[in-house]
């Protein structure tokens, strides 16, 4: 018996994972529940692992199931990209070095400040050159698995991530640095003693600090306010509530009610870059986006 998995079986897996149940997946796919159950059991037999815990409340992916779902998304995405590039080659004129028409969705995950200040210019350049590419952007908090996790799970083709020694590129992915941004002290403009103010921080920011630098700053107290994101931090500082240490991308377009003070040559920095899978790194649309990201970052 052939133990190769067919795309149809992968789509059934994803439907069950998305709907968290066999009945709901059957409705979404236009199949019977028995056909969905049979397909999943067949896939489990082929893979040699239980992929879903069945219960009264539905179907919950096991650890093996989560891995299978991530691979299924990535495999099906590659099939979609293959079809798009082949069609683009045909429309572009075929052999002889004729350009390939790039078209279809390009899925991107980015954290907030990169999505606000880095990604728009790159996408503007990209769509001007390739108007049939349709960017699909998801804003993801850069905590935990962050944007890299979206790529690993097959939900994004490329992620804009903080990378470096404290946040290395996962071994399953490839990536590169786009910009190295420094941190600065941000405080209410004209305040006579800004370092006496409460420190405002946000969860996403903490993982990017140079720990040694932070620990060595006697003037820097523990954060007493934790905001949801960098926009909320900047708003609180601008109204005079506190001070913050923020990266350069977050400070683009800062209001005149705040003052930005350089922290000197020993200031902490973070690397902002891109991550993608080795397979997608060689695809035309992802390569085109990386080129534009490098152009605007440079």
């Amino acid at each position: 018996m052939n133990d190769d998995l067919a795309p149809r079986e992968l789509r059934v897996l994803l439907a069950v994972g998305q709907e968290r149940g066999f009945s709901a997946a059957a409705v979404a796919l236009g199949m019977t529940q028995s056909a969905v159950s049979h397909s999943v059991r067949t896939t489990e037999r082929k893979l040699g692992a239980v992929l879903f815990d069945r219960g009264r409340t539905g179907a919950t992916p096991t650890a093996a199931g989560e891995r299978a779902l991530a691979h299924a998304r990535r495999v099906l995405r590659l099939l979609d990209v293959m079809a798009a590039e082949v069609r683009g080659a045909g429309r572009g004129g075929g052999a002889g070095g004729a350009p390939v028409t790039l078209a279809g969705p390009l899925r991107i995950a980015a954290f907030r400040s990169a999505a606000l200040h880095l990604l728009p210019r790159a996408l503007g350049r990209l769509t001007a050159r390739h108007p049939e590419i349709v960017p699909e952007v998801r804003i993801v908090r850069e905590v935990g698995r962050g944007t890299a996790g979206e790529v690993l799970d097959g939900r994004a083709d490329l992620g804009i991530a903080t990378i470096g020694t404290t946040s290395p590129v996962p071994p399953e992915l490839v990536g590169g640095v786009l910009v190295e941004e420094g941190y600065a002290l941000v405080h209410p403009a004209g305040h006579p003693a800004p370092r006496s103010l409460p420190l405002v921080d946000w969860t996403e920011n903490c993982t990017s600090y140079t720990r040694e630098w932070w620990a060595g700053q006697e003037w820097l107290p523990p954060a007493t306010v934790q905001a949801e994101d960098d926009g909320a931090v900047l708003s609180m500082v601008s109204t005079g509530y506190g001070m913050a240490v923020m990266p350069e991308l977050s400070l683009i377009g800062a209001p005149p009610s705040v003052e930005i003070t350089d922290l000197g040559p020993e200031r902490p920095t973070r690397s902002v870059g891109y991550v993608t899978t080795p397979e997608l790194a060689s695809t035309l649309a992802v390569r085109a986006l990386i080129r534009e990201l490098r152009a605007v970052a440079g």
Side-chain angles (χ1 to χ4, degrees), residues 33-223:
Q33 181 179 344
S34 61
V36 170
S37 297
H38 175 73
S39 178
V40 172
R41 286 195 302 271
T42 300
T43 300
E44 289 178 326
R45 179 191 58 76
K46 290 179 178 181
L47 294 177
V50 175
L51 303 180
F52 295 97
D53 287 327
R54 283 83 159 168
R56 292 182 179 180
T57 59
T60 304
T62 63
E66 292 287 5
R67 295 288 292 177
L69 291 171
H71 283 293
R73 293 187 198 99
R74 289 164 61 172
V75 169
L76 291 175
R77 178 58 178 152
L78 285 175
L79 292 175
D80 290 341
V81 171
M82 178 183 72
E85 290 196 359
V86 169
R87 285 193 298 267
R91 293 170 59 192
V100 175
T101 300
L102 303 186
L106 179 59
R107 307 169 308 157
I108 305 151
F111 59 92
R112 182 184 179 276
S113 58
L116 283 174
H117 304 301
L118 179 62
L119 188 57
R121 289 178 292 154
L123 292 182
R125 292 169 57 100
L126 179 72
T127 54
R129 297 176 189 272
H130 309 286
E132 294 187 48
I133 286 182
V134 182
E136 298 176 356
V137 181
R138 296 183 63 202
I139 310 302
V140 178
R141 296 189 74 193
E142 190 67 344
V143 294
R145 298 172 75 239
T147 58
E150 296 296 298
V151 177
L152 282 168
D153 291 343
R155 295 187 176 91
D157 303 328
L158 179 142
I160 299 180
T162 54
I163 58 179
T165 55
T166 59
S167 303
V169 176
E172 303 98 319
L173 302 180
V174 296
V177 173
L178 295 169
V179 62
E180 186 83 14
E181 57 174 345
Y183 283 76
L185 175 64
V186 190
H187 54 85
H191 195 283
R195 295 191 179 195
S196 67
L197 292 169
L199 178 65
V200 186
D201 205 352
W202 77 103
T203 304
E204 185 180 56
N205 194 34
C206 294
T207 58
S208 302
Y209 282 124
T210 302
R211 299 294 182 181
E212 294 79 5
W213 181 91
W214 185 264
Q217 307 307 303
E218 295 182 358
W219 62 272
L220 203 56

